[in-house]
Amino acid sequence: MNRSFLNRRQFLWHSGGGLGGVALAYLLGRDGLLAGETKGKPDLNGGLHHKAKAKRVVQLFMSGAASQVDTFDYKPDLIKRHGEKFDPGGKVELFQSSPGDCMKSPWTWKQYGECGKWVSSLLPNLATCVDDIAFLPSMVSKSNVHGPATFMQNTGFVLPGYPSMGAWIGYGLGSLTDNLPAFVVLPDSRGFAPNGPANWSAAFLPAAHQGTMIRPTAKNPIHDLNPPEKSGITPESEADGLALLNKLNRGHEATREGDSRLEARIASYELAAKLQKSAPEVLDLSRETEATKKLYGLDEKITEDFGRNCLIARRLLERGVRFVQVWSGADNGFPRRNWDSHEDLAKDHGDMGASMDKPAAALLRDLKAKGLLDDTIVIWTTEFGRMPCAQGGKGRDHNPFTFTSWLAGGGVKGGVTYGESDEWSYKAAEHPTYCYDLHATVLHLLGIAHDKLTFRHNGIDRRLTDVHGQVIPEIIV
């Protein structure tokens, strides 16, 4: 097994974010080295294999499939052909419908920034940030089904049982702080995306690298962090109990050298005690200025939830969390509460776009104002795109053949576009780009060679990019 951490601590939140049983933990780093590493504590921005441009990542995931046709992929030919038969040649493969007529976006388009990027009126705030963003409009998925496609964007595989990108990065680089986990997830308050916590699993990596789930609006934002109400447990008695437990565990550990599961169990209580102090401080927004709260949209109902999560994401990043994932969209339901706009695109994307646009732009601006954007990578993505033809007159079906993702900050070149879809935004036409390429590029910016960060599992040296992936130099400064 290639061990890619050096005398650093990694953290765990087992089974989706709780502290029950084998829960939150760290593993003290060993001295196993990857090619290119040097022994001893490296510079925090030194990377594993080359000098890093970034230290941390925040991923904004649009669950349900945000439509590239209605956000960032301007197609004047589609507007001209609105209402005509959609006939790109050959059979059109759809998820649950037959191809309708060409359908233009219900939103208007305008060019923004020095780069002249076209953005729809659905996203007026993100439109003002285009000069900081590198767009990937020819992303391709291997599945048009939400579950497998969501797995693919998170783990590089359409099947369950593989570690998420956040887990891989935590495994490779460890944490920047002893008081918070390396990998934190902020789900949509309305529910989980398809696959739920499996999207931030550590899978076969050491359990210490699974994502920690925080639900800021829940009564207990972090499961089992504090004793139940009316339990009779006081801070003093809890401290005494933890001290006794630690003594017993250390004695048990002494007879079982090298058992990482036991190390994880012991450390779960140690970090839990720290989190009882650090987590409430991170989640307490009372010290943020009213201007900052307004910037993120906390004063408006439609932006309040995603805005709060984006603001907390910034607070986590500046306190040393390595990877933060923020979800926009829950599971399928009616009325729609995600980006899966089969029935009424104008209504459903209108709601989702309005809830996401202002907070996401605020996160970019806030990180930039605080000097954090220079070494923080921001990723905006979704599991696949939507068709340029109508479904039922007002909706759009799934489109795995092209969709848009974008990156900003942390060594990313702003105001550029890599790749292109065809004239309808139906299929990738230039530089088809897979999650493997995006993941390889992110790892590269973090100082990691994607083909060297591996973990031996079932006789195979597994990696985030499987056997694929090319760094995209065109979007790197």
Side-chain angles (χ1 to χ4, degrees):
M1 179 184 74
N2 284 330
R3 301 304 293 264
S4 60
F5 46 94
L6 301 172
N7 298 321
R8 289 169 290 200
R9 295 180 176 182
Q10 284 83 30
F11 301 89
L12 147 77
W13 207 285
H14 192 62
S15 301
L19 272 172
V22 182
L24 192 60
Y26 67 76
L27 293 175
L28 292 178
R30 307 309 198 255
D31 286 330
L33 301 176
L34 283 176
E37 285 189 296
T38 56
K39 209 165 186 179
K41 186 175 180 181
D43 179 84
L44 285 176
N45 205 34
L48 290 175
H49 307 113
H50 54 263
K51 182 70 174 179
K53 294 179 181 290
K55 295 180 182 178
R56 61 189 79 81
V57 181
V58 57
Q59 182 187 42
L60 310 178
F61 199 107
M62 309 297 111
S63 177
S67 172
Q68 77 288 352
V69 187
D70 301 284
T71 52
F72 303 111
D73 202 11
Y74 174 61
K75 296 298 174 184
D77 283 354
L78 182 64
I79 296 173
K80 294 176 184 176
R81 297 176 185 181
H82 178 71
E84 297 179 6
K85 181 181 179 181
F86 178 60
D87 186 14
K91 183 179 179 180
V92 179
E93 180 183 345
L94 298 181
F95 176 67
Q96 60 172 218
S97 65
S98 299
D101 293 335
C102 292
M103 187 173 86
K104 69 178 182 180
S105 175
W107 293 278
T108 58
W109 296 81
K110 182 180 174 182
Q111 287 180 287
Y112 290 86
E114 293 182 9
C115 65
K117 173 67 178 175
W118 289 88
V119 181
S120 86
S121 58
L122 174 63
L123 306 175
N125 292 285
L126 280 173
T128 65
C129 302
V130 293
D131 286 333
D132 291 319
I133 294 174
F135 293 92
L136 305 175
S138 53
M139 294 289 296
V140 183
S141 175
K142 289 184 176 180
S143 176
N144 68 350
V145 179
H146 292 294
T150 301
F151 268 143
M152 184 176 180
Q153 297 308 311
N154 281 296
T155 72
F157 293 82
V158 295
L159 298 175
Y162 293 89
S164 66
M165 176 166 53
W168 275 111
I169 290 172
Y171 169 67
L173 296 177
S175 180
L176 291 165
T177 176
D178 285 347
N179 297 319
L180 291 165
F183 176 19
V184 173
V185 180
L186 300 164
D188 193 300
S189 65
R190 295 168 293 183
F192 292 142
N195 309 321
N199 287 305
W200 49 88
S201 168
F204 49 75
L205 290 179
H209 305 294
Q210 181 166 313
T212 299
M213 184 176 65
I214 297 179
R215 303 167 301 154
T217 58
K219 183 178 180 181
N220 296 305
I222 301 175
H223 287 305
D224 304 326
L225 181 60
N226 296 296
E229 294 181 7
K230 300 180 180 179
S231 64
I233 299 175
T234 65
E236 293 77 15
S237 65
E238 184 179 26
D240 290 342
L242 288 174
L244 175 60
L245 181 62
N246 182 62
K247 181 178 180 180
L248 294 172
N249 280 335
R250 292 301 178 189
H252 193 62
E253 180 189 28
T255 63
R256 291 161 177 81
E257 184 177 355
D259 189 342
S260 67
R261 296 171 300 172
L262 183 56
E263 291 176 356
R265 186 171 297 152
I266 293 170
S268 68
Y269 299 101
E270 295 177 351
L271 187 55
K274 294 178 182 179
L275 272 171
Q276 286 178 342
K277 295 181 179 179
S278 62
E281 188 274 331
V282 172
L283 300 178
D284 180 8
L285 304 182
S286 63
R287 294 186 180 181
E288 296 287 344
T289 67
E290 291 304 313
T292 297
K293 295 176 187 177
K294 188 173 183 179
L295 177 69
Y296 281 88
L298 269 61
D299 58 336
E300 302 175 59
K301 185 172 179 58
I302 195 165
T303 51
E304 181 183 13
D305 183 70
F306 193 70
R308 180 185 296 105
N309 283 355
C310 284
L311 178 52
I312 290 172
R314 189 220 78 202
R315 292 172 63 84
L316 289 165
L317 292 166
E318 65 185 349
R319 285 162 176 77
V321 174
R322 180 75 72 177
F323 191 102
V324 181
Q325 188 177 59
V326 187
W327 290 81
S328 168
D331 55 353
N332 281 321
F334 296 94
R336 288 287 182 189
R337 52 185 184 178
N338 62 13
W339 293 84
D340 197 20
S341 302
H342 288 279
E343 300 84 16
D344 191 339
L345 180 107
K347 179 185 180 301
D348 296 334
H349 261 52
D351 291 343
M352 294 303 300
S355 69
M356 178 279 299
D357 174 51
K358 186 175 183 178
L363 180 59
L364 282 174
R365 295 185 188 121
D366 203 11
L367 288 172
K368 190 173 183 178
K370 291 180 176 295
L372 289 168
L373 190 60
D374 290 341
D375 56 8
T376 301
I377 303 168
V378 181
I379 308 169
W380 186 98
T381 194
T382 187
E383 63 261 44
F384 44 68
R386 308 205 78 84
M387 284 289 175
C389 55
Q391 178 182 2
K394 296 193 296 181
R396 295 195 195 276
D397 209 336
H398 301 177
N399 182 4
F401 307 117
T402 198
F403 62 99
T404 296
S405 294
W406 57 254
L407 298 93
V412 174
K413 186 184 298 183
V416 300
T417 297
Y418 176 79
E420 187 178 357
S421 62
D422 62 20
E423 63 267 38
W424 292 281
S425 192
Y426 169 48
K427 289 187 175 181
E430 180 182 298
H431 301 311
T433 306
Y434 285 84
C435 64
Y436 316 115
D437 307 308
L438 189 155
H439 292 165
T441 303
V442 170
L443 292 180
H444 175 83
L445 292 169
L446 291 166
I448 300 171
H450 72 98
D451 56 349
K452 293 180 180 178
L453 180 65
T454 65
F455 190 95
R456 191 77 172 174
H457 176 66
N458 284 346
I460 300 174
D461 286 334
R462 289 293 188 187
R463 66 187 209 219
L464 174 61
T465 53
D466 193 15
V467 296
H468 312 284
Q470 296 290 330
V471 175
I472 308 171
E474 290 84 352
I475 68 169
I476 295 175
V477 176

